[in-house]
């Protein structure tokens, strides 16, 4: 899932996304989507001189690349889940657990559960 701004992020936009992540503003979904936008745009390389996404998230936010990807996946899943069910998930842990459970089931079974 690539964002529309993926190739044209500005310093101001990157700073705003970083601030959102640091504050954990509103929901894990916003944090995950902001991380995805930063990763897709490669702004951490272009505007912050980090060679890797892993180094960037560790230095900037204090969490691992694995945690960043968990947040991104949880956000993507939560957005899709809401589109399908109209229900919002409470937190990233709920999204991770439900996503894992659904991935382990055949698609035809998942459709009946939603």
């Amino acid at each position: 899932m690539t964002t529309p701004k993926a190739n044209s992020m500005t310093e101001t936009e990157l700073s705003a996304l970083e601030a959102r992540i640091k504050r954990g503003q509103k929901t894990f979904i916003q944090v995950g989507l902001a991380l995805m936008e930063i990763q897709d745009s490669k702004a951490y390389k272009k505007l912050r001189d980090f060679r890797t996404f892993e180094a960037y998230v560790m230095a900037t936010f204090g969490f691992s690349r694995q945690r960043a990807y968990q947040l991104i996946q949880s956000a993507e899943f939560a957005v899709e889940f809401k589109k399908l069910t109209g229900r919002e998930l409470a937190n990233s842990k709920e999204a991770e657990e439900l996503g894992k459970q659904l991935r382990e089931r055949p698609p035809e079974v998942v459709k009946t559960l939603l």
Side-chain angles (χ1 to χ4, degrees):
M1 179 180 219
T2 302
T3 59
K5 294 182 182 180
N7 294 318
S8 62
M9 187 174 294
T10 66
E11 176 68 34
T12 302
E13 290 169 325
L14 177 58
S15 294
L17 292 171
E18 289 172 341
R20 184 186 312 166
I21 293 165
K22 287 178 181 176
R23 287 191 311 266
Q25 184 181 17
K26 294 187 183 177
T27 69
F28 72 97
I29 296 171
Q30 289 179 323
V31 170
L33 295 177
L35 284 167
M36 182 174 50
E37 195 169 330
I38 290 168
Q39 182 195 32
D40 288 351
S41 70
K42 305 281 190 245
Y44 61 91
K45 287 182 178 187
K46 298 173 191 170
L47 301 172
R48 294 289 185 265
D49 293 326
F50 283 94
R51 292 183 63 212
T52 66
F53 185 64
E54 179 177 16
Y56 169 74
V57 295
M58 180 57 74
T60 308
F61 308 113
F63 49 77
S64 68
R65 179 180 64 92
Q66 179 181 356
R67 181 64 185 142
Y69 283 119
Q70 285 173 335
L71 288 165
I72 291 168
Q73 289 175 337
S74 293
E76 288 179 309
F77 177 78
V79 167
E80 289 302 312
F81 186 80
K82 184 174 181 181
K83 284 180 189 175
L84 292 172
T85 67
R87 183 176 153 238
E88 290 189 18
L89 299 173
N91 54 48
S92 65
K93 186 163 182 72
E94 182 180 20
E96 289 170 30
E97 290 173 3
L98 186 57
K100 182 181 176 188
Q101 291 173 12
L102 293 176
R103 280 190 299 274
E104 293 171 352
R105 290 181 168 69
E108 57 276 1
V109 172
V110 172
K111 287 179 185 178
T112 64
L113 295 174
L114 301 176

